[in-house]
Amino acid sequence: MIKASIIGATGYVGIELIRILAGHPAVTLVHLVSQSFEGQKIGEAYPHLAARCETLEGMNFEKIGGDSDVIFTALPHGASAETIQKLAPYGKKIIDLSADFRYDDVATYEAWYKVKHPAPELMRQAVYGLPELHRAEIQKCQIVGNPGCYTTCSILGLAPAVQKGFIDPDSIIIDAKSGVTGAGRKPSTDLHFSEVNESFKAYGVGTHRHTSEIEQEISKLAGKPVVLSFSPHLIPIQRGILATIYAKLTGEIAHGDFVRLYQEFYKDEPFVQIEEKGLPQIKYVRGTNLCRIGFVVDPRTNRVVIVSVIDNLVKGAAGQAVENMNLLFGLPETAGLDNSPWYL
Amino acid sequence: MIKASIIGATGYVGIELIRILAGHPAVTLVHLVSQSFEGQKIGEAYPHLAARCETLEGMNFEKIGGDSDVIFTALPHGASAETIQKLAPYGKKIIDLSADFRYDDVATYEAWYKVKHPAPELMRQAVYGLPELHRAEIQKCQIVGNPGCYTTCSILGLAPAVQKGFIDPDSIIIDAKSGVTGAGRKPSTDLHFSEVNESFKAYGVGTHRHTSEIEQEISKLAGKPVVLSFSPHLIPIQRGILATIYAKLTGEIAHGDFVRLYQEFYKDEPFVQIEEKGLPQIKYVRGTNLCRIGFVVDPRTNRVVIVSVIDNLVKGAAGQAVENMNLLFGLPETAGLDNSPWYL
Amino acid sequence: MIKASIIGATGYVGIELIRILAGHPAVTLVHLVSQSFEGQKIGEAYPHLAARCETLEGMNFEKIGGDSDVIFTALPHGASAETIQKLAPYGKKIIDLSADFRYDDVATYEAWYKVKHPAPELMRQAVYGLPELHRAEIQKCQIVGNPGCYTTCSILGLAPAVQKGFIDPDSIIIDAKSGVTGAGRKPSTDLHFSEVNESFKAYGVGTHRHTSEIEQEISKLAGKPVVLSFSPHLIPIQRGILATIYAKLTGEIAHGDFVRLYQEFYKDEPFVQIEEKGLPQIKYVRGTNLCRIGFVVDPRTNRVVIVSVIDNLVKGAAGQAVENMNLLFGLPETAGLDNSPWYL
Amino acid sequence: MIKASIIGATGYVGIELIRILAGHPAVTLVHLVSQSFEGQKIGEAYPHLAARCETLEGMNFEKIGGDSDVIFTALPHGASAETIQKLAPYGKKIIDLSADFRYDDVATYEAWYKVKHPAPELMRQAVYGLPELHRAEIQKCQIVGNPGCYTTCSILGLAPAVQKGFIDPDSIIIDAKSGVTGAGRKPSTDLHFSEVNESFKAYGVGTHRHTSEIEQEISKLAGKPVVLSFSPHLIPIQRGILATIYAKLTGEIAHGDFVRLYQEFYKDEPFVQIEEKGLPQIKYVRGTNLCRIGFVVDPRTNRVVIVSVIDNLVKGAAGQAVENMNLLFGLPETAGLDNSPWYL
């Protein structure tokens, strides 16, 4: 059994990791670290986990670095890199769910996150953990920078079309909508039930940090720097992201061309499903590590509309982290992640 | 008191008209027509209206044409024009909430609705009931074609920028999201609580009929034919539309330029509010006839993102119909429509 | 015009008062006091009120006591009585929405709220503001103790049956369910969207303070001390309370007997509606000052089940406060409160 | 591998069975029968299952009876017994999710369901599939009558207290609340999103058929006929039932006595968890086969309030059916049912 520890176990990403790993056939949890609930049983922080016996621990680098085969870090950016700097020397695999190890270029990170990166040398060794694009490098690395939720949904929706030149990269507009769990558990007026329920809003339009992460990967696929529009919105639901992506076609490209291109591009991918007709809904992927992608080609405007959906807590966070762990340890990529969608 | 009748009184638009008119200082309801509930008390169809004494009637052109000063028709397209054809000779004011009288051009209507228009000559006399653009003509007409919900939200969000040439009309993309009441009351699997709740989807992408209505008005403002992308989505909430509108800037235009342009354009409008900073949410307008509009100018992409919100049942349907009635009868435009937003 | 001030204007009860009073034909708002937002425009605290021009003020007893005809206090218990102690000498009408002036007996208040009452002498002069039971005293008093939300719903559902002896008061069980706005706006993990949504829970079972308020009024109606079971629950919706009330019948009493008794008891009440058949839903009263009550008589168990619904923010708080204001100033009791239910 | 077939595969219970069995280590699905979607791929009826290859079949008794080791019937009552009458001769295990095989006494069934039972002799052989009370008989039977959702939640919450005599069975009142999936997928105005959302209602008060099923089991535990009050309510959420159960204490019984009694009674039960303090919420069990039970002893009223929660689609239907299958085939009772709660 692979011994896994979670640092930041009581945030929403942390408990989603616990949920998924509890059902993983090859993993055992050894340390759950939580600053906020140190010394308490996990069931005191989250009563739905009352049947579990773990005590939440404070940070002890030696113990965690020594006892674990893999360490998941689910901390705020900055804090994550500082922690990993101290953990890395123990030589264990690390999967980081913050933004700290997602960038090829320290300057981009520092410009968008407005902090100095505490461990730029480690960042350079880390691999961007989107298996559909970087599987081979992930398998060989020590530190995985697990992608953002909006990012995963957007990149998977765009990658084949950008790489193949079906769309003009300068015309890309991503209108993304997310459930509320993406904002974490910390209470605030903005996330109060009575403020969020029965409303809908845009936020971080043009400035959301995931923009830079999407641009990094899309630029590589396009073979040139791409600047795009990204607008996130908040849906009053628990889980799920739907990205509606607009782009100009570069030629006479039909719906069937998109379907075939994407089916081919993702043909060996266990977690990407292409709609032959129709568009995917968030419901189709709730509780799973799946990404589903559909298309509308609009000859009136010469644009394609690509709709991509994921579960933000699974493929957008904890599930993809487990997928990366599976890759790091040579397990079947779907281990612990092969459940049916919840739908209801 | 103005004597008003409603044909199609038991659809969602119908009961919203009843709700608003019940609080209108200058209107009395004389006939409520409902095919589905003919002969029943309104409280049998909608128990929340149990305190009202009206009996729902079958259609009687003579009685309704004779007794009413104004007739609201809230029927499916096609059926509406047929009904109005028989009512128009009575010479009373008619406000139609279907699509049948919204078009300048019969061919456009017939192409998008895929039916033959039953009364093209009446269509030509009718006026498109968006007071912010057509107030003067509305005041003098007999038949008002009350705009669609997505349409109202999108056109108000775009009009000043298109007219002034701040944006390139060929670059317009409207990503719109609506609450479920916009789909009416008729049961279907698609609108079943357990199917809609905790999900989110796009529908009618590139083909939704409101596209043609938006293009008609935007083309007039642009002074040339405009073709645009319009993608509606379903939010699991009751009321409200938020349209996120993308367009290329035609020059170096700053956020403040948009604010000033829109404040000037809408300066005498009782129902349009411009955000000096920030973006509006659906919550801000729930239960009101307001449209609120905000902007993000993104110098990175040289695009503006315009966010426009309305309550789909009020400014997007029944409220705007009452506003049009106020104009037709020389009442203050805000009569019956000056309530504070519900927010909670 | 009656000059009204609100102390605690930026809580949910405060903004609901603003919403209702903004539509009241005989009231003008003079001072809005908010500790949290002192010096800001109301639109900065609540952007949906951006069109209003009021500045939120700090507390100034002389100014408020001098300028106002009526003062609404929407403060936490304890703080409310302290504030009113300083305001009362100005001789203006005061309607308090906390618990501080709802009790006949200081000891009961102090036992359930576990604080010393700061102004017991004022408490004794105050009148419990449930117009259906205490209209005459309300009209003559200076200070109204506006009832709690659960309380209003429960007492109105029980009063006729208890007074008439249709049910055994010792058998009363109230299973009440409320929307989330009842808990106020202060952020907490418990009220975080992702924690409340798609769940349902009981809280304060057997210990909720409204129990004592209900018992006080039911005891007077029963003519003897009544102890009852009261269990509140949280529904993931914005507004509304539904109380399901169980009691043993004292004899052979049929459904029609309940309907007739309640219709007679409430025959002059503008805000109470009795269901002749069926049971009311929360939807029926959303946005209104109404209470609707229905019955199931179950001969198998010899029990009656009474279902009573209100909007917690209107009849359960701000609306009833305005109703009390109307009584204090000799206005029609429904002034500003006669809108149709929102339903959708 | 156990070969399982589902009759009624495209109702909500049917697809929940598919979801759970898809993750079961010892089961393979052989026939999925659906009258409504015969001949279509399962992914056409439910796009979230697009990755599955099964074709939905019409009813073929010989094929299904021949090929299957176990048959799940998820049909309306009446239709279910008729189907099972024809399937039973093939000698395979049958787990019926309708009400047709839940009763000891045909007369009770016929009185509450107002139909003649088509197969009373089979009913007598069938076993009531609540493992916590009837495990031994289930293991030996051919036909299991899988309990109702409200029923499971209510009986598990009451059983120890009734059997031990802690409470007076004549005083039992069950106030139950369910998510909307319990009402199935068939469209109707009552289940339309816009009608259910932001409301709450009671229904079937005193007449809901699950009353008789609860009374049957509670009477056996009490050793005498018990008549009780049962009131179901509809919560605007997907999944989950919370039952608030009231009863008079028979003596001086403390909270700790309830905890100990229930812990002892359920000590070998894998799916029942007792709260040592506090009350369970629906969130705690979403997606699981768990039942969690908590208590408030109220010395003021000499009543206990028991709160019991389950997921209506899992422990209340498909999960318990799989649990029964595990028992029938000597598998570990938790096989396929040991996932962590979803919580978010």
Side-chain angles (χ1 to χ4, degrees):
Chain A
M1 296 294 270
I2 296 164
K3 283 171 282 174
S5 294
I6 303 171
I7 320 225
T10 54
Y12 281 165
V13 170
I15 59 154
E16 189 73 356
L17 276 168
I18 295 174
R19 185 184 70 77
I20 295 172
L21 292 173
H24 196 290
V27 174
T28 184
L29 286 167
V30 289
H31 296 294
L32 300 179
V33 176
S34 164
Q35 214 177 349
S36 335
F37 294 92
E38 183 179 345
Q40 297 184 42
K41 294 271 177 201
I42 179 78
E44 292 174 84
Y46 281 101
H48 75 285
L49 298 176
R52 299 190 67 90
C53 52
E54 288 97 341
T55 297
L56 295 161
E57 307 171 25
M59 191 63 210
N60 180 326
F61 292 100
E62 204 179 322
K63 202 156 88 174
I64 289 158
D67 295 353
S68 316
D69 298 317
V70 61
I71 302 158
F72 295 91
T73 45
L75 298 172
H77 67 89
S80 216
E82 282 173 24
T83 299
I84 288 171
Q85 209 169 11
K86 293 182 193 146
L87 278 173
Y90 294 91
K92 305 307 174 59
K93 301 294 188 186
I94 297 171
I95 299 167
D96 180 45
L97 290 110
S98 85
D100 288 352
F101 296 94
R102 295 177 186 162
Y103 287 84
D104 299 332
D105 179 16
V106 174
T108 307
Y109 172 87
E110 295 186 345
W112 284 83
Y113 283 82
K114 313 218 186 294
V115 290
K116 199 154 173 52
H117 197 289
E121 69 300 338
L122 281 181
M123 187 197 236
R124 270 175 229 111
Q125 301 165 26
V127 172
Y128 189 65
L130 192 65
E132 289 80 2
L133 296 185
H134 302 291
R135 186 171 285 109
E137 303 105 286
I138 294 167
Q139 286 167 322
K140 293 175 300 198
C141 76
Q142 185 195 0
I143 302 176
V144 175
N146 208 62
C149 52
Y150 282 124
T151 321
T152 297
C153 191
S154 302
I155 297 172
L156 292 177
L158 278 165
V162 169
Q163 195 200 48
K164 183 74 170 185
F166 272 22
I167 58 175
D168 171 7
D170 296 329
S171 71
I172 296 170
I173 290 171
I174 303 168
D175 191 283
K177 301 88 175 171
S178 173
V180 183
T181 54
R185 196 192 203 193
K186 195 151 168 260
S188 76
T189 303
D190 273 5
L191 300 177
H192 189 293
F193 181 86
S194 308
E195 300 287 320
V196 171
N197 187 47
E198 292 298 303
S199 197
F200 186 85
K201 67 170 176 180
Y203 67 99
V205 173
T207 59
H208 194 284
R209 289 153 169 177
H210 286 184
T211 312
S212 57
E213 204 182 319
I214 301 169
E215 288 178 349
Q216 165 180 291
E217 296 299 307
I218 296 305
S219 295
K220 286 189 278 187
L221 288 158
K224 63 164 195 173
V226 174
V227 173
L228 48 77
S229 289
F230 173 67
S231 304
H233 300 75
L234 193 70
I235 322 170
I237 62 173
Q238 298 290 96
R239 288 170 178 264
I241 289 177
L242 184 146
T244 312
I245 306 172
Y246 301 86
K248 276 283 174 193
L249 297 171
T250 52
E252 278 211 12
I253 304 165
H255 180 266
D257 299 321
F258 275 93
V259 171
R260 278 185 297 275
L261 171 67
Y262 277 63
Q263 284 180 336
E264 176 62 25
F265 190 96
Y266 292 123
K267 71 170 181 292
D268 298 324
E269 292 303 332
F271 294 121
V272 182
Q273 292 180 8
I274 306 306
E275 313 290 326
E276 297 200 2
K277 54 181 182 185
L279 295 173
Q281 308 180 13
I282 278 181
K283 220 174 185 31
Y284 296 0
V285 297
R286 279 182 64 231
T288 74
N289 203 49
L290 295 173
C291 177
R292 288 181 68 157
I293 304 168
F295 316 91
V296 173
V297 168
D298 184 1
R300 296 174 66 254
T301 57
N302 199 35
R303 289 193 188 101
V304 64
V305 183
I306 303 170
V307 173
S308 174
V309 299
I310 63 165
D311 182 319
N312 60 301
L313 289 174
V314 189
K315 185 65 175 172
Q320 187 149 263
V322 172
E323 185 183 356
N324 280 317
M325 182 198 73
N326 289 340
L327 288 173
L328 289 170
F329 290 85
L331 300 167
E333 194 162 335
T334 58
L337 297 167
D338 51 0
N339 61 295
S340 206
W342 300 347
Y343 196 73
L344 296 174
Chain B
M1 296 294 271
I2 296 163
K3 283 170 282 174
S5 293
I6 302 171
I7 319 222
T10 54
Y12 282 165
V13 170
I15 59 155
E16 189 73 357
L17 276 167
I18 295 174
R19 185 183 71 76
I20 295 172
L21 293 173
H24 195 290
V27 173
T28 183
L29 287 167
V30 289
H31 296 293
L32 300 179
V33 176
S34 164
Q35 214 175 352
S36 336
F37 294 92
E38 182 179 345
Q40 297 182 42
K41 293 272 177 200
I42 179 79
E44 292 174 84
Y46 282 100
H48 74 286
L49 298 175
R52 299 190 68 90
C53 50
E54 288 97 341
T55 297
L56 295 161
E57 306 171 26
M59 192 61 210
N60 181 325
F61 292 100
E62 204 179 321
K63 202 157 88 175
I64 288 157
D67 295 353
S68 316
D69 299 315
V70 61
I71 302 158
F72 295 91
T73 45
L75 296 171
H77 66 89
S80 215
E82 282 172 24
T83 299
I84 288 170
Q85 209 170 9
K86 295 183 193 144
L87 277 173
Y90 293 91
K92 306 306 174 60
K93 301 294 188 184
I94 296 172
I95 299 167
D96 179 44
L97 289 109
S98 85
D100 287 353
F101 296 94
R102 295 177 186 162
Y103 287 84
D104 299 332
D105 179 16
V106 174
T108 307
Y109 172 88
E110 295 186 345
W112 283 83
Y113 284 82
K114 313 215 187 296
V115 290
K116 198 153 173 54
H117 196 290
E121 68 300 337
L122 281 182
M123 187 198 236
R124 270 173 230 113
Q125 301 164 26
V127 172
Y128 189 66
L130 192 64
E132 289 80 1
L133 297 185
H134 303 289
R135 184 170 287 108
E137 304 106 285
I138 294 166
Q139 286 167 322
K140 295 175 297 197
C141 76
Q142 186 196 0
I143 303 176
V144 176
N146 209 61
C149 51
Y150 283 124
T151 320
T152 298
C153 190
S154 303
I155 298 171
L156 292 177
L158 278 164
V162 169
Q163 195 200 49
K164 183 73 171 185
F166 272 21
I167 58 175
D168 171 7
D170 296 329
S171 71
I172 296 170
I173 290 171
I174 304 168
D175 191 282
K177 301 90 176 171
S178 173
V180 183
T181 53
R185 196 194 203 193
K186 196 154 168 257
S188 76
T189 303
D190 274 5
L191 300 176
H192 190 293
F193 181 86
S194 308
E195 300 286 320
V196 171
N197 188 45
E198 292 297 305
S199 197
F200 186 85
K201 68 170 176 181
Y203 67 99
V205 173
T207 60
H208 195 285
R209 289 153 169 175
H210 285 184
T211 313
S212 57
E213 203 181 319
I214 301 169
E215 288 178 349
Q216 166 181 290
E217 296 299 307
I218 296 305
S219 295
K220 286 189 276 186
L221 288 158
K224 63 164 195 172
V226 173
V227 173
L228 49 77
S229 289
F230 173 67
S231 304
H233 300 74
L234 192 69
I235 323 170
I237 62 172
Q238 298 291 96
R239 290 169 177 263
I241 289 177
L242 183 146
T244 312
I245 305 172
Y246 301 86
K248 277 283 174 194
L249 297 171
T250 52
E252 279 210 13
I253 304 165
H255 180 266
D257 298 322
F258 275 93
V259 172
R260 278 185 298 274
L261 171 68
Y262 277 61
Q263 283 180 337
E264 175 62 24
F265 190 97
Y266 291 125
K267 70 171 184 291
D268 298 323
E269 292 304 331
F271 294 120
V272 183
Q273 292 180 7
I274 306 307
E275 312 291 326
E276 299 200 0
K277 54 182 180 184
L279 295 173
Q281 309 180 14
I282 279 181
K283 220 175 187 30
Y284 296 0
V285 297
R286 280 182 63 231
T288 74
N289 203 47
L290 296 173
C291 177
R292 288 181 68 157
I293 304 168
F295 316 92
V296 173
V297 169
D298 184 1
R300 295 174 67 254
T301 57
N302 200 34
R303 290 193 188 101
V304 65
V305 183
I306 303 170
V307 172
S308 173
V309 299
I310 62 166
D311 183 318
N312 60 301
L313 289 173
V314 189
K315 185 64 175 172
Q320 188 149 259
V322 172
E323 184 183 356
N324 280 317
M325 181 198 74
N326 290 340
L327 288 174
L328 289 169
F329 289 86
L331 299 168
E333 194 162 336
T334 58
L337 296 167
D338 51 0
N339 61 295
S340 205
W342 300 347
Y343 196 73
L344 297 174
Chain C
M1 297 292 270
I2 296 164
K3 283 171 282 176
S5 293
I6 302 171
I7 319 224
T10 54
Y12 281 165
V13 170
I15 60 155
E16 188 73 357
L17 276 168
I18 294 173
R19 185 183 70 77
I20 295 172
L21 292 173
H24 195 291
V27 173
T28 184
L29 286 167
V30 289
H31 296 293
L32 300 180
V33 175
S34 164
Q35 215 175 349
S36 335
F37 294 91
E38 183 179 345
Q40 296 183 43
K41 292 272 176 200
I42 180 78
E44 292 174 85
Y46 282 100
H48 75 286
L49 297 176
R52 299 190 67 91
C53 52
E54 288 97 340
T55 296
L56 295 162
E57 306 172 24
M59 191 63 210
N60 179 327
F61 292 100
E62 203 179 322
K63 203 157 86 172
I64 288 158
D67 295 354
S68 316
D69 298 316
V70 61
I71 302 158
F72 295 91
T73 46
L75 297 171
H77 65 90
S80 215
E82 283 172 24
T83 299
I84 288 171
Q85 209 169 11
K86 294 184 193 144
L87 278 173
Y90 294 91
K92 305 308 174 58
K93 301 293 187 186
I94 297 171
I95 299 168
D96 179 45
L97 289 111
S98 84
D100 288 353
F101 296 94
R102 296 177 185 162
Y103 288 83
D104 299 332
D105 178 16
V106 174
T108 307
Y109 172 87
E110 295 186 344
W112 283 83
Y113 284 81
K114 312 215 187 297
V115 290
K116 200 154 172 50
H117 197 290
E121 68 300 339
L122 281 181
M123 187 197 236
R124 271 174 229 112
Q125 301 164 27
V127 172
Y128 189 66
L130 192 65
E132 289 80 2
L133 297 185
H134 303 291
R135 185 171 287 110
E137 303 107 286
I138 294 166
Q139 287 167 322
K140 294 174 300 197
C141 76
Q142 185 195 1
I143 303 175
V144 175
N146 208 62
C149 52
Y150 283 125
T151 321
T152 296
C153 190
S154 303
I155 297 172
L156 292 177
L158 278 165
V162 169
Q163 195 200 49
K164 184 73 170 185
F166 272 21
I167 58 175
D168 171 7
D170 295 328
S171 70
I172 296 169
I173 290 172
I174 303 168
D175 191 282
K177 300 90 175 170
S178 173
V180 183
T181 54
R185 195 193 202 191
K186 196 152 167 258
S188 76
T189 303
D190 274 5
L191 299 176
H192 190 293
F193 181 85
S194 307
E195 301 287 319
V196 170
N197 187 46
E198 291 298 303
S199 197
F200 186 86
K201 67 170 177 181
Y203 66 99
V205 173
T207 59
H208 194 283
R209 289 153 169 175
H210 286 184
T211 313
S212 58
E213 204 182 318
I214 302 169
E215 288 179 348
Q216 165 181 291
E217 296 299 307
I218 296 305
S219 296
K220 287 189 277 187
L221 289 158
K224 64 164 193 171
V226 173
V227 173
L228 49 77
S229 290
F230 173 67
S231 304
H233 300 73
L234 192 69
I235 321 170
I237 62 173
Q238 298 291 97
R239 288 170 179 263
I241 289 177
L242 183 145
T244 312
I245 306 172
Y246 301 87
K248 277 283 174 195
L249 298 170
T250 53
E252 280 210 12
I253 304 164
H255 180 267
D257 298 322
F258 275 93
V259 171
R260 278 185 298 274
L261 171 68
Y262 277 63
Q263 284 181 334
E264 176 63 24
F265 190 97
Y266 292 124
K267 70 172 185 289
D268 298 324
E269 291 304 332
F271 294 120
V272 183
Q273 292 180 8
I274 306 306
E275 313 291 325
E276 299 201 0
K277 55 181 182 184
L279 295 173
Q281 308 180 15
I282 278 181
K283 219 174 187 32
Y284 296 0
V285 297
R286 279 182 65 231
T288 74
N289 204 47
L290 296 173
C291 177
R292 288 182 67 156
I293 304 168
F295 315 92
V296 173
V297 170
D298 184 1
R300 296 174 66 255
T301 58
N302 199 34
R303 290 192 187 103
V304 64
V305 183
I306 303 169
V307 173
S308 174
V309 299
I310 63 166
D311 183 318
N312 61 300
L313 289 173
V314 189
K315 185 64 176 172
Q320 187 149 261
V322 172
E323 185 184 355
N324 280 316
M325 181 198 73
N326 290 340
L327 288 173
L328 288 169
F329 289 85
L331 299 166
E333 194 162 336
T334 58
L337 297 168
D338 51 1
N339 62 296
S340 205
W342 300 346
Y343 196 74
L344 296 175
Chain D
M1 295 294 271
I2 296 164
K3 283 172 282 177
S5 293
I6 302 171
I7 319 223
T10 54
Y12 282 165
V13 170
I15 58 153
E16 189 73 356
L17 277 167
I18 295 174
R19 185 183 70 78
I20 295 172
L21 292 173
H24 195 290
V27 174
T28 183
L29 286 167
V30 289
H31 295 294
L32 300 180
V33 176
S34 165
Q35 213 176 350
S36 335
F37 294 92
E38 183 179 343
Q40 297 183 42
K41 293 272 177 202
I42 179 78
E44 291 174 85
Y46 282 100
H48 75 286
L49 298 176
R52 298 191 67 91
C53 51
E54 288 97 340
T55 297
L56 295 161
E57 306 171 25
M59 190 64 209
N60 180 328
F61 292 101
E62 204 179 321
K63 203 157 86 173
I64 288 157
D67 295 351
S68 316
D69 298 315
V70 61
I71 302 157
F72 294 91
T73 45
L75 298 171
H77 66 90
S80 215
E82 282 172 23
T83 299
I84 288 171
Q85 209 169 12
K86 294 184 195 145
L87 277 173
Y90 293 91
K92 306 307 173 60
K93 301 293 188 186
I94 297 171
I95 299 168
D96 180 45
L97 290 109
S98 86
D100 288 353
F101 296 94
R102 296 177 186 162
Y103 287 83
D104 299 331
D105 179 16
V106 174
T108 308
Y109 172 87
E110 295 186 344
W112 284 83
Y113 284 82
K114 314 217 187 293
V115 290
K116 200 155 172 50
H117 197 289
E121 67 300 338
L122 280 181
M123 188 197 236
R124 271 175 228 111
Q125 300 163 28
V127 172
Y128 189 66
L130 192 65
E132 289 80 3
L133 297 185
H134 303 292
R135 184 170 287 109
E137 304 106 284
I138 293 167
Q139 287 168 322
K140 294 176 298 196
C141 76
Q142 185 195 0
I143 303 176
V144 175
N146 209 61
C149 52
Y150 283 124
T151 321
T152 297
C153 191
S154 302
I155 297 172
L156 292 177
L158 279 165
V162 169
Q163 195 200 48
K164 183 74 170 184
F166 272 21
I167 58 174
D168 171 6
D170 296 329
S171 71
I172 296 170
I173 290 171
I174 303 168
D175 191 282
K177 301 91 175 169
S178 174
V180 183
T181 53
R185 196 192 203 193
K186 195 152 169 258
S188 77
T189 303
D190 274 5
L191 299 177
H192 190 293
F193 181 86
S194 308
E195 300 287 318
V196 170
N197 187 46
E198 291 298 302
S199 196
F200 187 85
K201 68 169 175 180
Y203 67 99
V205 173
T207 60
H208 194 284
R209 290 153 169 176
H210 285 184
T211 313
S212 58
E213 203 182 319
I214 302 168
E215 288 178 348
Q216 165 180 290
E217 297 298 307
I218 296 305
S219 296
K220 286 189 278 187
L221 288 158
K224 64 164 195 173
V226 173
V227 173
L228 49 76
S229 289
F230 173 68
S231 304
H233 299 75
L234 192 69
I235 322 170
I237 62 172
Q238 299 289 98
R239 290 170 177 263
I241 290 178
L242 183 146
T244 312
I245 306 172
Y246 301 86
K248 276 282 175 195
L249 298 171
T250 52
E252 278 211 11
I253 304 164
H255 180 266
D257 298 323
F258 274 94
V259 172
R260 277 185 298 274
L261 171 68
Y262 277 62
Q263 283 181 335
E264 176 62 24
F265 190 96
Y266 291 125
K267 69 171 182 291
D268 298 323
E269 292 303 334
F271 294 121
V272 183
Q273 292 181 7
I274 305 307
E275 312 292 326
E276 298 199 2
K277 53 182 185 186
L279 294 173
Q281 308 180 15
I282 278 181
K283 220 175 186 31
Y284 296 1
V285 298
R286 279 183 63 230
T288 73
N289 203 48
L290 296 173
C291 177
R292 289 181 67 157
I293 304 168
F295 315 92
V296 173
V297 169
D298 183 1
R300 296 174 66 254
T301 58
N302 200 34
R303 289 192 188 102
V304 64
V305 183
I306 303 169
V307 172
S308 173
V309 299
I310 62 166
D311 183 318
N312 61 301
L313 288 174
V314 189
K315 186 64 176 171
Q320 187 150 260
V322 172
E323 185 184 356
N324 280 316
M325 182 198 73
N326 290 340
L327 288 173
L328 289 170
F329 290 85
L331 299 167
E333 194 162 334
T334 58
L337 297 167
D338 51 0
N339 62 295
S340 204
W342 300 347
Y343 196 74
L344 296 175

